[in-house]
Amino acid sequence: MRFTAFETRRVVLPLVSPFTTSFGTQVHREALLVRAIGTEGEGWGECAAIVDPVYSSEYTAGAQDIMRRYLIPRLLSAGDISAQDVARVLTGVVGHRMAKSALEMAVLDAELRASGVSFARYLGATAERVPSGVSVGIMDTLDQLVEAVGDYLRAGYQRIKIKIKPGWDVEPVRVLRETFGDDFGLQVDANTAYTLGDAPLLRRLDPYHLTLIEQPLGEEDIRQHAELAKLVQTPICLDESIVSAEAAADAISLGATAVINVKPGRVGGYLEARRIHDLCRAFGVPVWCGGMLETGIGRAANAALAALPGFTLPGDISASDRFYRTDITEPFVLEDGYIRVPTGAGLGVTPIPEVLADVTVDTELIRA
Ligand code: OSB
Ligand code: MG
């Protein structure tokens, strides 16, 4: 269909508790939503960028700016397009994958709503529900960590991922195994906080049979991850480094990653995410769906993606109430440790107008 306008909308949602990673603490989620307005209907997208450029180079205000100045004008003048054309239309703009992903998602949602097809069916999902994992931030004390993890395990989460950084790594893992035993999936995420010289330290995680260690080294250190993989037993899983299917293929063939965290925003969209899934499946590399503290909009799309057959590990797709007291869509809830994949047309969820109005800090309509 032809798109006549795009609305960008900045929303701020308070988090139920602060979320600390090796790159900082978030107390609320400032997210950028996109509404694509086309000749046959509308669709929603959510940008994965966070408020500051500390996870990747993208950040909320920057994403809004690149959309306004460069990306949306290209889509508005592209004529009749489908979601499969978006990457090509935007290809002249270098980088800004999270911004591009949000726009492609909104176009895809509009298209699928118009044709009555769900994201899950379009992407090739084979599951009706996905196993739910939870990402647990760095805490002030080990007692706080044990309490939080105990609550999540009792709620039914199927695996725990804890954030680590130098000074908060082996000891929290040891305490969690000592307290809760060996019978639950446990993994760690360093968000690039280590160097190859830390291999002896990271090797001390080996006895705790973690499912994986996520992105221990820098985004560009793919070769060094391959070196690290020879020095530690815990499987390495790349997040930040995997910015495209090409990067995924390189990292796999270099032996830098045994598992991949697929985040649609980081790789430029759900279509590229599906290509990475297909590639990993062909290589026999397990994948799981990462998260960026999505609202119900992004969470719905992630659940659909995670229902593809190669997603064999629980992802960071937790219930809405892990982050938000009030989600902007109907909330995703944990049912026996699973999140149900929406079946309605497009995303299958829509923002609740009153809630959306409450959390919106600005909107901008960009027309042809
Ligand atoms: O590295 O996976 C990450 C959140 C923000 C930025 C980076 C990451 C994360 C998470 C949260 O781990 C995952 C979630 O949304 O549940
Ligand atoms: Mg990560």
Side-chain angles (χ1 to χ4, degrees), residues 14-21 26 132-139 145 148-149 152 155 157 159-163 293-294 299 316-327 331-334 339:
L15 300 183
V16 293
S17 56
F19 183 62
T20 298
T21 64
Q26 294 170 265
S132 183
V134 60
S135 176
V136 184
I138 293 165
M139 309 266 167
L145 177 71
V149 168
Y152 291 131
Y157 283 107
R159 68 91 168 120
I160 301 293
K161 147 171 153 183
I162 64 163
K163 294 291 191 176
L293 293 83
E294 282 83 357
R299 205 164 292 273
D316 284 343
I317 304 176
S318 31
S320 295
D321 69 3
R322 184 265 170 261
F323 289 116
Y324 307 114
R325 205 168 308 281
T326 310
D327 205 336
F332 284 83
V333 294
L334 203 56
I339 297 291

Side-chain angles (χ1 to χ4, degrees), residues 55 135 161 163 189 191 214 239 263 291-293 316 323:
Y55 161 78
S135 176
K161 147 171 153 183
K163 294 291 191 176
D189 185 0
N191 288 112
E214 184 176 342
D239 172 354
K263 277 185 194 165
M292 293 295 287
L293 293 83
D316 284 343
F323 289 116

Side-chain angles (χ1 to χ4, degrees), residues 189-253:
D189 185 0
N191 288 112
T192 78
Y194 297 86
T195 67
L196 190 51
D198 293 316
L201 166 64
L202 296 172
R203 194 157 49 206
R204 289 174 50 211
L205 294 169
D206 284 349
Y208 302 102
H209 29 268
L210 302 177
T211 307
L212 54 88
I213 173 168
E214 184 176 342
Q215 196 74 39
L217 314 181
E219 176 177 332
E220 298 185 8
D221 297 343
I222 294 194
R223 198 190 52 76
Q224 293 189 51
H225 277 104
E227 291 303 314
L228 181 65
K230 297 178 200 154
L231 302 173
V232 301
Q233 276 166 25
T234 308
I236 305 238
C237 169
L238 292 179
D239 172 354
E240 283 88 332
S241 297
I242 306 299
V243 296
S244 63
E246 287 82 359
D250 286 354
I252 293 168
S253 46

